[in-house]
Amino acid sequence: MSIMEYNGSAVVAMKGNNCVAIAADKRLGQRQMTIDTDFQKVFPITERTYVGLAGLATDVKTLHDRFRMRVNLYKHREERVIEPKTFANLVSHMLYEHRFGSYFVEPVIAGLDKDDQPFICNMDNIGCIDLADNFIVSGTAGENLYGTCESLWEPGLEPEELFETISQALLNAVDRDSMSGWGAVVHIITPSGVITRELKSRMD
Amino acid sequence: MNRYSFSLTTFAPNGKLLQIEHALAAVGNGSTSVGIKAANGVVIATEKKTGSSLIDVSSLEHMVMVCDSIGMVYSGMGPDFRVLVNSARKAAQKYKRMYMEDPPVRILVKELASIMQEFTQSGGVRPFGVSLLIAGVDDRGPNLYQVDPSGSYFPWKATAIGKNMVNSKTFLEKRFDSDIDLEDAVYTAILTLKEGFEGQMTEQSIDVGVISTIPTTQADGEPKMPTFQRLTPAEIKDYLSNVA
């Protein structure tokens, strides 16, 4: 089994009409055994930018700490809040620094820039950025997510519609993956604020 | 010989680091440079004083671009300036590599000031004998900063450094107005230099650099942020003919 599949995860992000959504499952496992059903994989970086980390749990935690440190330093030095695109480039740089001994994580970044334009992207474990206009998937349920997102997503969804779409896409994808699931968290980022909801799913 | 003036890392009893005072004296012997922050851009200008008419003035690099949105000029020792230009360019590209955008002017200034400060606290080195005027455009609009050999930096609306700084600053105080247009600021900068200029000022004897905050529209309709431009001798000649 690959190291990326040891803990299990599913992260997905979608673009909507002046909004973005990012969601992840809550399972933490050790191979087949589930050891936590409330494990956080999506973290706020600023009020309008979130990062979801799929992959090895220890690297998820460590990278979140490192991102927090770098972003706080940026905020204090530059006296401004980091934009999603800039943060994505920062993450890419940080990952590539470990090109030959990488973090086992595939991050997903979702946010609104200062002009309220939606931004989503993900990258591989060494920082290759993949920008998308529609949706971004990552984790052990990634392939499943591609299927559900492709069928359910359409452009121009409003925040509530986007919530329904991303929730259905995530829930149905993780139900076909033994390594992810056990509940989910969804964040909808809009110009007026972030709506966070927990989803009840099949608890297996 | 003053026992506190030779070692940089020794404070004199009056609280000063004498080497820095001497560095500022070196700056005061250098050609005058001026900078003006307009409402829609920044202009910096300097005298290109040469000892002999045989020098090929067009190849003197007094006014440099640090990155697309930031330019720099100095008063003081030319060779020290070259070292700082390299450090500034490298720092700007390092930032760009990490964040894929040019550094805000205040960040580059802090970095340069930090380098200059290092040379006031390390062993076996001397401070840089230059003061820098850094002009650039970023998310906050037009910026003009002065950085001194000590590593202190000051944001300015308009300023002058070098030989004629006192008279030039008085001249600027009378003429500066925060709504000044970039075009008018260029004229004012040239006039300010002219005030203290010994001899005839020609397009070969001054260097002028501008950066505007107004984006230009490219052929495909996309707006493009302006880059730091050194005015060509022909352009300077145009300004001079209207000033004289």
Side-chain angles (χ1 to χ4, degrees):
Chain A
M1 170 200 272
S2 143
I3 189 74
M4 297 290 289
E5 289 155 30
Y6 185 72
N7 293 125
S9 51
V11 182
V12 57
M14 285 186 177
K15 267 197 195 179
N17 189 19
N18 280 347
C19 58
V20 284
I22 183 166
D25 72 322
K26 301 208 297 181
R27 179 182 181 270
L28 172 67
Q30 279 176 351
R31 299 217 176 173
Q32 306 312 113
M33 180 167 77
T34 302
I35 57 169
D36 189 4
T37 55
D38 196 14
F39 187 71
Q40 189 184 5
K41 297 171 198 178
V42 178
F43 306 94
I45 290 298
T46 70
E47 275 179 15
R48 289 149 62 96
T49 307
Y50 277 63
V51 68
L53 300 166
L56 196 61
T58 179
D59 287 351
V60 166
K61 279 190 167 295
T62 301
L63 271 182
H64 162 59
D65 287 343
R66 293 195 67 213
F67 294 154
R68 191 177 53 210
M69 185 187 92
R70 292 307 306 271
V71 169
N72 282 341
L73 277 174
Y74 182 97
K75 182 175 74 171
H76 291 119
R77 279 186 193 140
E78 307 235 347
E79 291 170 27
R80 60 176 173 161
V81 161
I82 197 168
E83 292 289 298
K85 191 162 68 109
T86 314
F87 177 64
N89 283 309
L90 174 62
V91 169
S92 170
H93 183 96
M94 285 173 74
L95 291 176
Y96 198 84
E97 276 181 334
H98 295 274
R99 170 65 176 79
F100 299 110
S102 72
Y103 286 109
F104 296 111
V105 158
E106 283 174 359
V108 170
I109 294 164
L112 293 176
D113 71 13
K114 60 182 188 295
D115 302 316
D116 291 345
Q117 290 305 305
F119 175 88
I120 56 173
C121 80
N122 79 340
M123 42 196 104
D124 63 12
N125 59 327
I126 45 176
C128 176
I129 299 182
D130 169 27
L131 296 168
D133 276 332
N134 39 17
F135 50 83
I136 284 289
V137 305
S138 192
T140 52
E143 302 297 307
N144 305 352
L145 278 163
Y146 271 126
T148 54
C149 290
E150 195 67 56
S151 351
L152 295 175
W153 185 86
E154 55 187 56
L157 292 167
E158 295 299 319
E160 282 307 319
E161 298 172 305
L162 191 64
F163 168 74
E164 288 300 329
T165 308
I166 201 175
S167 303
Q168 288 301 324
L170 180 61
L171 254 29
N172 288 296
V174 305
D175 283 350
R176 278 282 186 179
D177 177 26
S178 58
M179 306 295 278
S180 53
W182 280 94
V185 188
V186 183
H187 304 275
I188 316 286
I189 307 165
T190 69
S192 47
V194 178
I195 311 158
T196 301
R197 296 197 181 115
E198 307 252 332
L199 301 179
K200 250 193 345 214
S201 71
R202 280 182 65 102
M203 303 305 243
D204 63 358
Chain B
M1 191 59 187
N2 192 333
R3 71 217 283 260
Y4 301 106
S5 80
F6 64 87
S7 167
L8 181 56
T9 51
T10 315
F11 275 107
N14 62 2
K16 294 194 188 196
L17 285 166
L18 280 167
Q19 274 299 301
I20 294 181
E21 306 293 317
H22 299 336
L24 285 166
V27 171
N29 291 336
S31 311
T32 316
S33 301
V34 307
I36 302 180
K37 185 168 74 165
N40 53 346
V42 200
V43 55
I44 43 179
T46 186
E47 282 178 20
K48 269 195 297 198
K49 259 324 191 34
T50 53
S52 157
S53 60
L54 291 174
I55 288 191
D56 181 2
V57 189
S58 59
S59 63
L60 276 179
E61 223 196 336
H62 267 50
M63 177 85 54
V64 298
M65 177 197 265
V66 171
C67 61
D68 283 344
S69 55
I70 303 179
M72 198 157 86
V73 81
Y74 77 104
S75 285
M77 296 170 64
D80 284 9
F81 177 62
R82 281 203 310 273
V83 170
L84 286 171
V85 167
N86 271 337
S87 306
R89 285 173 173 164
K90 206 166 169 192
Q93 291 310 314
K94 217 174 132 201
Y95 185 99
K96 197 163 186 170
R97 195 160 157 247
M98 197 171 296
Y99 298 108
M100 283 306 195
E101 46 183 50
D102 279 347
V105 185
R106 62 192 180 281
I107 297 295
L108 185 80
V109 163
K110 274 187 207 184
E111 184 58 41
L112 263 185
S114 178
I115 293 171
M116 291 169 85
Q117 190 278 343
E118 258 179 59
F119 282 72
T120 70
Q121 213 177 6
S122 309
V125 298
R126 61 162 176 81
F128 288 96
V130 290
S131 274
L132 304 167
L133 282 182
I134 300 175
V137 157
D138 60 22
D139 57 312
R140 286 191 183 170
N143 293 269
L144 175 66
Y145 282 87
Q146 172 185 344
V147 191
D148 271 352
S150 58
S152 312
Y153 59 89
F154 316 93
W156 287 99
K157 298 177 202 169
T159 189
I161 52 176
K163 218 177 287 186
N164 205 34
M165 57 184 266
V166 179
N167 291 338
S168 301
K169 277 208 268 207
T170 318
F171 189 88
L172 283 169
E173 264 168 37
K174 294 200 191 89
R175 271 165 197 68
F176 181 78
D177 152 24
S178 45
D179 294 326
I180 193 173
D181 185 71
L182 186 55
E183 278 295 295
D184 295 331
V186 177
Y187 281 115
T188 310
I190 293 178
L191 266 174
T192 314
L193 279 182
K194 198 152 187 273
E195 278 293 296
F197 202 88
E198 289 157 21
Q200 176 74 312
M201 191 158 92
T202 70
E203 69 275 9
Q204 298 291 356
S205 54
I206 62 170
D207 231 340
V208 183
V210 287
I211 178 154
S212 153
T213 56
I214 314 286
T216 54
T217 322
Q218 293 175 117
D220 59 2
E222 282 299 307
K224 182 168 179 284
M225 278 317 288
T227 59
F228 180 79
Q229 306 282 353
R230 264 176 82 181
L231 296 186
T232 63
E235 288 168 324
I236 298 180
K237 198 167 177 196
D238 264 341
Y239 282 103
L240 277 175
S241 57
N242 290 334
V243 151

